[in-house]
Amino acid sequence: MSIFKQSFTWDMQLMERFEYCNAKTCSQELLALGQHNMKMWNLFTWLAEHGELQHGTQAELIKLYVYNELVAYSLFENYQSRMDKLTLYEGQGYQDLGVVHFVTLPEHRNKGYASSLADIMYKDVIKPLLNKPSSHNVYVTATGKAVPLMQQTGIATKNLITQFYSELSFKRKVVDVINNSYF
């Protein structure tokens, strides 16, 4: 390996730092950044005012710092402990494990930071949840700009629901996707 290659690799490792936290411990920091995503803004506001999310939802956060500046973050609303996120359909159980979100601060967009976050979020948070033994069909939800980010992680198509908030029936947006019969 050339000296330049070694130096470049070392600089990249110093440059990017991922930080993991439960959103309730860093909601004030993220509120101070301003409103970049309405759903997460509401979630952080709720946490700041109440300390916990409703119905047992946990909010797992991965923040990406570049040269010690927060440039992007990903939030996973984790529903794994919520019984109301389990749907029985024609004798089969379908469990929504949560919703994934991404925010890149405006001045740092189009630099690949969200893609890096998506890879880490999938590898460290979502994939272990999907791999837990379950008697139900399990999935996570991504919408909007989170869809292509999650699709590039290698998540199985049957585990990624992208039309959950649409007017489609539960059968079309979840059951058919999981059973690979709806394309």
Side-chain angles (χ1 to χ4, degrees):
M1 183 183 293
S2 75
I3 294 173
F4 173 75
K5 179 85 171 167
Q6 290 172 344
S7 175
F8 179 74
T9 303
W10 185 73
D11 286 344
M12 289 298 292
Q13 291 170 349
L14 286 178
M15 184 174 97
E16 290 186 357
R17 175 175 54 91
F18 295 92
E19 183 177 298
Y20 299 73
C21 66
N22 188 295
K24 68 182 174 183
T25 63
C26 50
S27 60
Q28 291 296 338
E29 172 192 13
L30 298 171
L31 283 169
L33 294 173
Q35 190 170 335
H36 298 285
N37 175 298
M38 182 58 113
K39 181 144 176 76
M40 283 195 277
W41 178 264
N42 290 337
L43 186 139
F44 298 143
T45 302
W46 179 271
L47 282 171
E49 294 172 3
H50 300 94
E52 296 288 333
L53 295 174
Q54 297 176 321
H55 312 295
T57 298
Q58 294 297 309
E60 300 178 52
L61 197 71
I62 300 175
K63 299 182 289 184
L64 172 57
Y65 292 88
V66 176
Y67 293 117
N68 293 319
E69 178 184 358
L70 180 63
V71 297
Y73 54 93
S74 177
L75 180 124
F76 183 67
E77 290 180 72
N78 187 330
Y79 302 152
Q80 73 174 333
S81 299
R82 290 183 56 175
M83 293 308 297
D84 65 321
K85 295 297 183 176
L86 177 62
T87 302
L88 292 175
Y89 182 86
E90 295 183 354
Q92 290 286 315
Y94 296 86
Q95 185 175 9
D96 183 354
L97 294 176
V99 180
V100 64
H101 308 275
F102 297 92
V103 169
T104 303
L105 299 177
E107 61 273 20
H108 299 289
R109 291 189 177 142
N110 300 315
K111 297 178 182 175
Y113 296 138
S115 294
S116 294
L117 272 171
D119 289 339
I120 296 294
M121 178 59 80
Y122 175 66
K123 183 183 86 167
D124 292 354
V125 177
I126 295 171
K127 188 175 182 180
L129 287 174
L130 292 171
N131 287 337
K132 283 185 178 179
S134 177
S135 58
H136 307 296
N137 297 291
V138 294
Y139 61 91
V140 297
T141 302
T143 60
K145 294 178 182 177
V147 173
L149 291 169
M150 288 306 300
Q151 288 172 328
Q152 73 186 14
T153 66
I155 188 171
T157 303
K158 70 177 189 165
N159 295 128
L160 183 64
I161 303 303
T162 61
Q163 299 292 322
F164 193 81
Y165 298 109
S166 71
E167 294 297 321
L168 295 174
S169 68
F170 182 81
K171 180 182 184 314
R172 295 231 10 226
K173 62 186 170 189
V174 176
V175 175
D176 289 348
V177 170
I178 288 174
N179 293 327
N180 291 319
S181 61
Y182 178 73
F183 299 97

